[in-house]
Amino acid sequence: MILEIDPHSEEPIYLQLRKQIILGIARGELAPNEQLPTVRQFANELGVNTMTVSKGYQQLREEGYLLTDRRKGTVVAPLPVHSKKNSEENLTLVLAELYLAEPDDQKLQDKIETILNSFRRDEKQ
């Protein structure tokens, strides 16, 4: 999986890292139990501070997307991920934002279907 971090973005780098790892898991680019690079390796690859990567990893662990074992390192959590965030509330907000940008129900449903299709593993095999 290739991460694309924009150092000039207003969004903090640790949040960019978080989003890309979650998308990678959803798209099947990162498999359950797959080992991720160490914080130091990731920081070197991305050219960022180790604390930035550590903060992203910590948030992902707290949300249930990653697991860390002192002997095995950091791995992707088994599916289904049991996120501690209120997913329905987050989804409602995202859909509200999409609806305000595109109030046409059919176009909105088409966008949602396209996004969902990008996550479906059975169709990719």
Side-chain angles (χ1 to χ4, degrees):
M1 178 179 153
I2 298 174
L3 296 178
E4 296 177 18
I5 300 299
D6 180 2
H8 305 292
S9 172
E10 290 184 24
E11 181 176 41
I13 292 172
Y14 79 94
L15 289 178
Q16 293 180 49
L17 175 69
R18 175 190 169 275
K19 283 182 178 179
Q20 294 212 10
I21 288 175
I22 291 171
L23 287 170
I25 295 168
R27 292 179 177 145
E29 296 166 4
L30 291 171
N33 301 311
E34 181 175 337
Q35 187 164 1
L36 295 179
T38 66
V39 167
R40 182 167 282 129
Q41 288 170 328
F42 237 148
N44 287 337
E45 286 177 25
L46 298 172
V48 300
N49 188 298
T50 55
M51 292 305 293
T52 301
V53 175
S54 180
K55 188 173 183 177
Y57 270 22
Q58 178 62 32
Q59 190 168 5
L60 288 162
R61 278 192 301 273
E62 289 172 3
E63 295 171 350
Y65 296 104
L66 299 181
L67 303 172
T68 298
D69 180 298
R70 291 183 193 267
R71 293 166 289 159
K72 297 179 184 177
T74 301
V75 298
V76 175
L79 297 178
V81 171
H82 300 288
S83 177
K84 296 175 179 96
K85 289 183 118 182
N86 185 339
S87 300
E88 189 172 338
E89 185 177 304
N90 290 338
L91 178 60
T92 300
L93 178 60
V94 169
L95 288 174
E97 291 171 347
L98 282 171
Y99 182 77
L100 292 172
E102 183 64 69
D104 181 304
D105 283 0
Q106 188 57 50
K107 288 183 181 178
L108 181 58
Q109 288 177 1
D110 291 345
K111 283 183 186 180
I112 292 167
E113 190 61 33
T114 299
I115 293 167
L116 284 174
N117 283 335
S118 75
F119 301 144
R120 294 192 172 117
R121 286 178 177 75
D122 55 345
E123 295 173 8
K124 293 179 184 179
Q125 295 172 354

